[in-house]
Amino acid sequence: MDLNRLSKKSGTEWWLAPFGRMRVPGILFASEELVRAMDEKVLEQVANVAGLPGIVRASFAMPDAHWGYGFPIGGVAAFSQEAGGVISAGGVGFDISCGVRTLRTGLSIDEVEPRRAALADALFRAVPCGVGSTGPVHLSPAELDDLMLGGARWSVKKGFGKAADLETIEEEGVMAGADPDAVSSEAKKRQRDQLGTLGSGNHYLEVQEVVEIFAPEIAAAYQLRASEVVVSIHCGSRGLGHQIGTDYLKSMLAEAGRHGIDLPERELACAPIDSGLGQHYLGAMRAAMNCAMANRQVIAHLVRETFSEIFPAAELTLLYDVSHNTCKEEEHEVDGQKRRLFVHRKGATRAFGPGHPALPAVYRAFGQPVLIGGSMGTASYVLAGTTEGMGRAFGSAVHGAGRSLSRHEATRRWKGRAVVDALAGHGILVRSPSLRGVAEEAPGAYKDVGAVVDAAEQAGLARKVARLRPLVCIKG
Amino acid sequence: MPNILPRWEHFDHQSDIGVRGLGRSREEAFVQAAQALTAVVTDPARLVARASVRVSCQAPDDEMLLVAWLNAIIYEMATRGMIFGRFTVACQGMRLDGEMTGERIDRERHQPAVEVKAATVTCLRVACDETGVWTAQCVVDV
């Protein structure tokens, strides 16, 4: 990216002054090195988002931003309903409510290490992943409607997990305002056998070791200790969310003209929040958010069952579950006034600071856990939301390493078998139904996640709490 | 008729992958784009023609018709657990009638790399150049 188009406000804050259709500035939070490495398309997309009706303060890009669909991946933008603001299907994306859930196992690395290969094999057998996989539940139409309203709470009622889990899930596991009637029959059909499946692509299940603690007080509140083993699950709303994205992108494109919206790029398809279409999309998207939380709850149950076979004394407790592809109605302070805003986070994690009423009581004094996935061969991080971050980008932070190479280029450079063997040489056991899928997800195809989280911390978006090293990776 | 053999190719997108079909007509380009879609998931040469599915779609323009066609294939793949290696397309104006032939996904034999979530409108283009060659392309989200 050409830095001449940006003005540098600090080592990790870069502004794009409004021009053309932009109503607000673009603000990129990243180190100079990360900004230089970003595709020019990121800036173009930041500028396009800045031109949407009703946008408030700025169009933001996180340190892991890369070329997405309409919005950059790693994009954050908030809209005011009173100011004619919009909701964008493109701004949420096709993988609605994709997110990360991390479970503590209470086991040390020394306890897990002797059984690690057996654990990898058992998890690979137990958790359906990859193309064509089906979950442990076939949903009837009525069950799916209940799931879309009940989220993770529905899963718990059905015997997947514990009621205590709900306390440490975003929205306590249930997104209010879901409307199953706003979800097409095609979307529902696509989901009926997919509950409890991981999916493919960048989705994964990892067993990880806590290898470094950066903020001991917060880590203690999160009950994270060095040398302990955790499990992280990265996936979303599966076929339901994919089809809702497809359906509403088409409807929003068709109706944009009627609402007087002149789109600079079709992927920015959106509708006024107070329009019928906008409200229908919100209802459908929230149904998909519930589906995603229900899905991760079922997968967590499968993980617990597997651990109980190999480590009968282990008790897996939920650290947190947070999504990174959403639009949520939230209250934020803007120019000294509290305002209700619809905050789009596309490839960006909500990162509320200490004291926020939406946080579980157990974490409220410390800030929200922010779960950041890296690549198979590097590391993942647990961050904490900060007070400063609330004023930066509406309480948002990064979501992962972000790709640096396309899938096409990755398969040109690496072979799946060689990647699996190389990772095994570094003590990371990979299990996947597809070697080509592994090649596409090779660690070298991702940015340095350490540089990304360092930039997030330096920019004040979130604070580093712990670094996690992968031990086992189940890839779809 | 332009002197080219219909063919498909992939092109780069930082997060996902682009599919492109080239042909001597809009229909041929759409068939080749569908082949490119299948190749995102598996090697089309591994597929056996066991069952056929017919779909119809409509759209306001050529480009959205391509998106509708690819999304129809993605939907059939997802709900039938199938993967398709042969396609036929007939268009009348902005209505497309298509047939896809393939088989149920066999994870051992097909080694499917990735599930396709949706055809997007990113890098979407359906056009005929001055030599008469049709291009049909877009990025698919995986």
Side-chain angles (χ1 to χ4, degrees), chain A residues 79-81 85-89 92 96-97 148-149 175-183 240 244-245 248-249 252 270-291 325-330 341-344:
Chain A
F79 297 84
S80 161
Q81 185 169 0
V86 294
I87 178 154
S88 171
V92 175
I96 297 171
S97 207
M148 287 189 278
L149 291 168
M175 188 69 215
D179 181 5
D181 291 340
V183 177
L240 188 90
I244 288 170
Y248 278 92
L249 188 83
M252 287 179 174
C270 56
I273 296 163
D274 60 7
S275 66
L277 180 57
Q279 289 298 307
H280 282 135
Y281 176 68
L282 272 170
M285 180 202 62
R286 289 164 176 162
M289 291 170 75
N290 282 332
C291 180
N325 288 346
T326 60
C327 175
K328 297 183 72 175
E329 186 179 2
E330 298 168 356
L341 301 172
F342 288 78
V343 183
H344 293 65

Side-chain angles (χ1 to χ4, degrees), chain A residues 371-383:
Chain A
L371 309 174
I372 307 302
S375 68
M376 287 185 286
T378 54
S380 293
Y381 285 82
V382 178
L383 312 183

Side-chain angles (χ1 to χ4, degrees), chain A residues 296-310:
Chain A
R296 291 193 287 270
Q297 184 70 28
V298 172
I299 292 173
H301 175 75
L302 301 175
V303 169
R304 281 175 164 141
E305 284 188 330
T306 306
F307 267 76
S308 71
E309 290 166 14
I310 298 174

Side-chain angles (χ1 to χ4, degrees), chain A residues 118 161 175 208 232 239 251 393:
Chain A
M175 188 69 215
Q208 302 158 326
S232 292
S251 303

Side-chain angles (χ1 to χ4, degrees), chain A residues 39 66-69 73 94-95 129-131 133 186 189-190 194 200-201 238 242-243 246 253 266-267 403 405-408 412 433-437, chain B residues 10 12-16 39-42 63-64 71 74-75 78-79 105 107 111-118 120-124 139-142:
Chain A
D39 195 291
H66 52 286
W67 178 20
Y69 301 107
I73 296 167
F94 296 97
D95 200 1
C129 63
V131 182
S133 59
E186 288 81 5
K189 188 174 174 187
R190 210 165 152 178
Q194 293 206 338
S200 63
R238 309 293 295 115
H242 306 165
Q243 191 65 37
T246 296
L253 271 175
R266 280 179 289 200
E267 284 286 2
R403 289 192 79 92
L405 294 178
S406 69
R407 293 175 179 279
H408 200 195
R412 274 197 287 260
S434 168
L435 287 173
R436 185 174 137 194
Chain B
H10 291 151
D12 278 352
H13 176 271
Q14 197 170 11
S15 314
D16 295 296
V40 169
V41 183
T42 191
E63 293 183 337
M64 291 310 292
N71 275 328
I74 291 164
Y75 176 76
T79 55
I105 291 168
R107 282 150 55 108
Q111 284 284 304
V114 74
E115 179 182 59
V116 183
K117 295 170 192 161
T120 78
V121 293
T122 295
C123 302
L124 173 59
V139 170
V140 296
D141 191 350
V142 299

